[in-house]
Amino acid sequence: MNRADETTRPGDGDPAVPPDAALLPVTVDVVALTVRDDALQVLLVERGVDPFRGALALPGGFVLPGEGLTAAATRELAEEAGVAPPGHLEQLGTYGPLGRDPRGPVLSVAHLLLAPDFGVVRPGSDAGAVAWHPATEVLDGATLAFDHARILADGVERARSKLEYSPLATAFCGPEFTVAELRRVYEAVWGVRLDPRNFSRKATGTPGLLEETGRTTSGGAGRPAALYRAAAGGSAGRRDTGVEDGPAVVRAVIDPPLLRPRA
Amino acid sequence: MNRADETTRPGDGDPAVPPDAALLPVTVDVVALTVRDDALQVLLVERGVDPFRGALALPGGFVLPGEGLTAAATRELAEEAGVAPPGHLEQLGTYGPLGRDPRGPVLSVAHLLLAPDFGVVRPGSDAGAVAWHPATEVLDGATLAFDHARILADGVERARSKLEYSPLATAFCGPEFTVAELRRVYEAVWGVRLDPRNFSRKATGTPGLLEETGRTTSGGAGRPAALYRAAAGGSAGRRDTGVEDGPAVVRAVIDPPLLRPRA
DNA sequence: CCCGATTCTCGTCAACTTGACGACAAAGCG
DNA sequence: CGCTTTGTCGTCAAGTTGACGAGAATCGGG
């Protein structure tokens, strides 16, 4: 862009955006992941309008004037899924604007939500059914609207990778959880089995990851388990400190990292 | 894409984007990093126009109609720095649109370029001086235009973190390089000293990172060093395979990772 | 009330990786 | 010809991982 082209509108104190700049509609799409029935599941909506009417899609929609990216993402989740979910929301990446929407050039800022299994979910105003779907099934048999299959694949890979070095696995759990619950999160997201003894050693031995509550489970089968909560500041990135919209900055806590078993 | 589903406004080739969607100007900004004089340096331009006339800024500018994100980033680099640089270009994240540009809401898709030290750089047609600046100095004494200080900080942190597990350090080197050159990249980016013997063991012992050329350096002081090139597919992410614009997907190669020394 | 099943937790041990460092190899320089 | 510089190979203690044994604490059924 030739910045010499930038002009000042008469009667306007601020310089104006150059007239040859593209003005693009922007959507936010959310890859909302949870762990349900020991499987990684993704929240999908059935589109109620064209294009791709009737197809499955990620929840999302257009950014409105005066709105920030994170605000748009949470608003769309509320509108389409009827939830103001807890958990960790971070920016995933930006797609487009060319060749991904039949309506023309549209920029899409994808987000990633890692959340505990929040109960479903009322159908949104302009969408059909809203439901959790096992991520592996969708990734394999994927026929999602737009380029949502690719966005979902990127989101799942991001989640898998972040579990290795960040405390974000705790975002899938409730406020208090056992080491075994945390392990089942890893097992579901990675699709592997982990040794409970070694996992417990690593989880409890990592400073800044878990905080003891002093309480234990009761009522279930087997020996009661100690209850923990996520350590303070554990999953706190820059997003929790301000209103700015930008990519995720999450502190690395698991050091050395807990690597996925390699085939 | 199923164009049969499109509903077309009469007399309008752009169907069905809802009328209440914001139409945003979008910029691309590039955090271009290299290693020069054993230091991590960032390419900055002096702005020639308001806003922030005379201030230092990341190279970048507005996306034009019909243009993709990556295309806009490379075009801006060519226009403002006079280079069609080699190296690795990936998306960093998207900032805004609120509160970051005095001209109004502007979305900025930041990119990260890791490149060998390409010779400077002609002043762009519409910008003032273009030059490399030591990253640490800029990060400390930072008064950059817009929110570019924050974007730079995010870009440097991304680069530092990616060196741990990806082969991207080779993007800072020329087509052939020695293990010592690669080590100096790590030392410059991380700002630490690494043991040459241990680094050599890790670099040469990591499958898929280096490829022997059979040749050696000559002429310099000391014993000649073996020349390597980046292993095929090493720094190749999805971006190299298609025209789609999206976030970076870089294969993890250094496994277990080469972690920064922790204080 | 005892017994097995289940689940959580602690301990042990070999294999591997890291960090620190000694030693040698191969060039240039006086 | 030594001396310096730089790259490469080895060695070794310390720490981490992966595999697994064994005990602790609870539930449910005979």
Side-chain angles (χ1 to χ4, degrees):
Chain A
M1 146 116 296
N2 189 342
R3 288 178 186 268
D5 286 346
E6 296 180 15
T7 58
T8 305
R9 278 196 209 109
D12 187 348
D14 278 332
V17 168
D20 57 345
L23 293 179
L24 296 172
V26 178
T27 65
V28 288
D29 295 307
V30 181
V31 178
L33 301 178
T34 196
V35 172
R36 261 169 86 92
D37 307 327
D38 287 330
L40 183 67
Q41 309 221 7
V42 57
L43 190 69
L44 296 178
V45 306
E46 189 183 328
R47 281 184 62 83
V49 297
D50 277 326
F52 297 102
R53 181 201 298 262
L56 289 175
L58 301 174
F62 285 90
V63 175
L64 303 180
E67 195 175 41
L69 294 176
T70 307
T74 49
R75 175 181 55 76
E76 288 292 342
L77 276 171
E79 286 183 10
E80 297 203 328
V83 286
H88 169 86
L89 181 67
E90 71 173 48
Q91 191 184 109
L92 180 58
T94 299
Y95 298 79
L98 301 182
R100 55 172 303 278
D101 192 316
R103 291 167 293 190
V106 173
L107 206 62
S108 175
V109 184
H111 290 251
L112 182 64
L113 176 77
L114 310 182
D117 180 8
F118 51 85
V120 183
V121 253
R122 69 149 192 269
S125 51
D126 54 347
V130 184
W132 295 108
H133 297 255
T136 53
E137 293 180 15
V138 181
L139 285 173
D140 291 343
T143 43
L144 299 186
F146 305 105
D147 52 357
H148 286 187
R150 182 190 155 193
I151 296 176
L152 172 62
D154 289 350
V156 168
E157 176 51 33
R158 167 84 66 94
R160 285 179 174 152
S161 146
K162 281 219 161 180
L163 290 206
E164 295 189 333
Y165 58 89
S166 84
L168 286 185
T170 60
F172 287 109
C173 300
E176 295 191 356
F177 51 89
T178 67
V179 173
E181 286 178 63
L182 191 65
R183 173 171 50 82
R184 279 185 272 272
V185 167
Y186 277 86
E187 294 179 331
V189 175
W190 287 348
V192 299
R193 304 285 291 181
L194 298 176
D195 185 281
R197 297 158 288 187
N198 292 336
F199 182 87
S200 177
R201 176 180 60 190
K202 179 74 172 175
T204 57
T206 297
L209 180 61
L210 298 181
E211 230 171 54
E212 300 187 45
T213 65
R215 310 198 301 136
T216 59
T217 56
S218 66
R223 172 178 168 176
L227 279 170
Y228 296 85
R229 60 176 155 263
S235 63
R238 176 189 288 154
R239 289 301 74 64
D240 297 352
T241 69
V243 296
E244 303 162 66
D245 289 313
V249 178
V250 174
R251 195 162 54 98
V253 161
I254 307 178
D255 182 33
L258 175 56
L259 297 174
R260 289 173 264 191
R262 33 195 189 282
Chain B
M1 301 264 179
N2 189 352
R3 294 198 159 263
D5 283 347
E6 288 179 29
T7 60
T8 305
R9 281 197 208 112
D12 188 350
D14 221 4
V17 169
D20 56 346
L23 293 178
L24 295 173
V26 178
T27 65
V28 289
D29 295 306
V30 182
V31 178
L33 300 178
T34 197
V35 173
R36 262 169 88 91
D37 305 328
D38 289 328
L40 183 67
Q41 311 222 6
V42 57
L43 190 69
L44 297 179
V45 306
E46 190 184 327
R47 282 184 62 83
V49 297
D50 277 325
F52 298 102
R53 181 202 297 260
L56 289 175
L58 300 174
F62 286 92
V63 174
L64 302 180
E67 196 176 41
L69 294 175
T70 305
T74 50
R75 174 181 57 74
E76 290 291 344
L77 277 171
E79 285 182 9
E80 298 202 329
V83 287
H88 169 85
L89 180 68
E90 70 173 49
Q91 190 184 111
L92 179 57
T94 299
Y95 298 79
L98 301 183
R100 54 173 304 278
D101 191 317
R103 291 167 292 192
V106 173
L107 204 64
S108 175
V109 184
H111 290 251
L112 181 65
L113 176 76
L114 310 182
D117 180 7
F118 50 85
V120 181
V121 253
R122 70 148 193 267
S125 53
D126 46 319
V130 184
W132 295 108
H133 297 254
T136 53
E137 293 180 17
V138 181
L139 286 172
D140 291 343
T143 43
L144 299 185
F146 305 104
D147 53 355
H148 287 186
R150 181 190 157 193
I151 297 175
L152 172 62
D154 288 351
V156 168
E157 175 50 34
R158 168 83 67 92
R160 285 180 175 151
S161 144
K162 280 218 161 182
L163 290 206
E164 295 189 331
Y165 59 90
S166 84
L168 286 186
T170 60
F172 286 110
C173 300
E176 295 190 356
F177 51 89
T178 67
V179 173
E181 287 179 63
L182 191 66
R183 173 171 50 83
R184 277 184 274 271
V185 166
Y186 276 86
E187 293 179 331
V189 175
W190 286 349
V192 299
R193 305 282 294 179
L194 299 176
D195 185 281
R197 299 157 288 191
N198 292 336
F199 182 86
S200 178
R201 175 180 61 191
K202 181 72 172 178
T204 57
T206 297
L209 179 61
L210 299 181
E211 232 171 52
E212 299 187 45
T213 66
R215 311 197 300 137
T216 58
T217 55
S218 66
R223 171 177 169 177
L227 279 168
Y228 296 84
R229 59 176 155 264
S235 62
R238 175 188 289 155
R239 290 299 75 62
D240 298 352
T241 69
V243 294
E244 302 164 65
D245 289 312
V249 178
V250 174
R251 195 163 52 98
V253 160
I254 307 180
D255 182 31
L258 175 54
L259 297 175
R260 288 173 265 191
R262 34 196 188 280

